Amino acid sequence: MKSTRCALFEGLSDGEISAVAEKIKFEYKTFSRGEEIFVYGSDDGKLCHLAEGVAETIRTDENGAVALIERFSAGAAFGYGEGKELGGRDYAVVVAKTKCAVWFADVRGVDLKTLPAGFLVNLLGCQQKRLADFAARTNVLLGKTIRDKLLCYFRNCADEAGSDCFDLKITLTGLSDLIFADRSAMMREIKKLRDDGIIEINRKKVTIIGK
């Protein structure tokens, strides 16, 4: 088992890892950009841990309207127990936005309380990572204008990178979906930010140079 690559096993002894593996079947898979990782309503017995990459939950309602629900970065956990909230008549799926590596844990019939405490602590940490991602996106969406949303998103990226210069990890179309903005309107705002000396963009490299 590739335990060193799975945050759920971080800090666990060999005996604790074996105790978990006796009760839960784990499977490690990689996904290319655009591939479906998890389908709500059909894979609900699986607990998923995103070990590498970026993924998004995309929801299509019965009328064909598509919406970006959530965005995951490496370290997040998702899947198990969420089918009722995201299933129903709508089609909800987690899609790889970059190359992704995912651990799947079949937890059907498993009493999680019987697992080693360290494993549960790690699982809680993965859930907290997901909540942090969700809070960051919510903060972006609270912006009153497209400009406000873009600046908030770019500053979040800068904070994550620890530098005012960082690589944009999603496409511009993906960014417009993320902030719920028309792509053309967003591109006009990005041009204004560049013209105003607030940011510089060179391909996928973004630099914040003004406030």
Side-chain angles (χ1 to χ4, degrees):
M1 182 177 291
K2 307 171 186 177
S3 58
T4 56
R5 298 190 63 185
C6 183
L8 294 173
F9 296 121
E10 195 170 306
L12 270 63
S13 67
D14 290 343
E16 289 173 321
I17 293 174
S18 296
V20 174
E22 286 176 1
K23 296 183 178 182
I24 299 176
K25 179 182 178 181
F26 287 87
E27 186 177 11
Y28 179 83
K29 292 184 178 181
T30 58
F31 297 85
S32 299
R33 184 177 185 275
E35 283 192 283
E36 293 186 354
I37 296 174
F38 179 89
V39 178
Y40 288 96
S42 62
D43 296 330
D44 293 336
K46 296 179 181 178
L47 173 67
C48 309
H49 170 253
L50 183 61
E52 299 174 13
V54 176
E56 292 177 347
T57 298
I58 306 296
R59 185 175 191 170
T60 306
D61 69 18
E62 54 189 327
N63 296 316
V66 179
L68 169 60
I69 302 299
E70 193 171 359
R71 184 177 178 84
F72 307 116
S73 58
F78 57 89
Y80 177 66
E82 300 172 7
K84 291 183 180 179
E85 288 75 16
L86 288 172
R89 296 182 179 180
D90 298 341
Y91 180 74
V93 60
V94 178
V95 178
K97 299 305 293 183
T98 65
K99 183 178 179 180
C100 289
V102 181
W103 280 95
F104 294 91
D106 188 345
V107 295
R108 287 172 293 186
V110 177
D111 184 354
L112 296 182
K113 297 191 296 295
T114 65
L115 300 175
F119 179 84
L120 298 179
V121 169
N122 290 340
L123 176 58
L124 179 60
C126 292
Q127 294 286 14
Q128 289 175 331
K129 175 65 173 68
R130 175 181 178 178
L131 288 173
D133 289 343
F134 187 77
R137 182 173 181 235
T138 300
N139 196 37
V140 169
L141 295 178
L142 288 174
K144 294 182 179 180
T145 66
I146 296 176
R147 183 187 183 99
D148 291 339
K149 293 175 182 179
L150 285 169
L151 286 173
C152 184
Y153 178 77
F154 289 149
R155 286 165 182 155
N156 285 346
C157 291
D159 289 342
E160 182 179 349
S163 170
D164 286 339
C165 183
F166 55 89
D167 290 324
L168 192 61
K169 296 180 180 180
I170 58 176
T171 64
L172 292 173
T173 298
L175 179 55
S176 66
D177 290 339
L178 187 73
I179 66 173
F180 287 131
D182 175 77
R183 190 182 188 279
S184 297
M186 184 193 75
M187 294 304 296
R188 288 194 295 271
E189 287 300 325
I190 288 177
K191 183 179 185 302
K192 289 178 183 177
L193 287 171
R194 297 175 70 175
D195 292 344
D196 291 343
I198 304 297
I199 63 170
E200 288 182 352
I201 298 182
N202 183 10
R203 295 185 178 180
K204 300 286 285 185
K205 184 77 68 178
V206 179
T207 304
I208 301 175
I209 56 178
K211 303 299 181 182

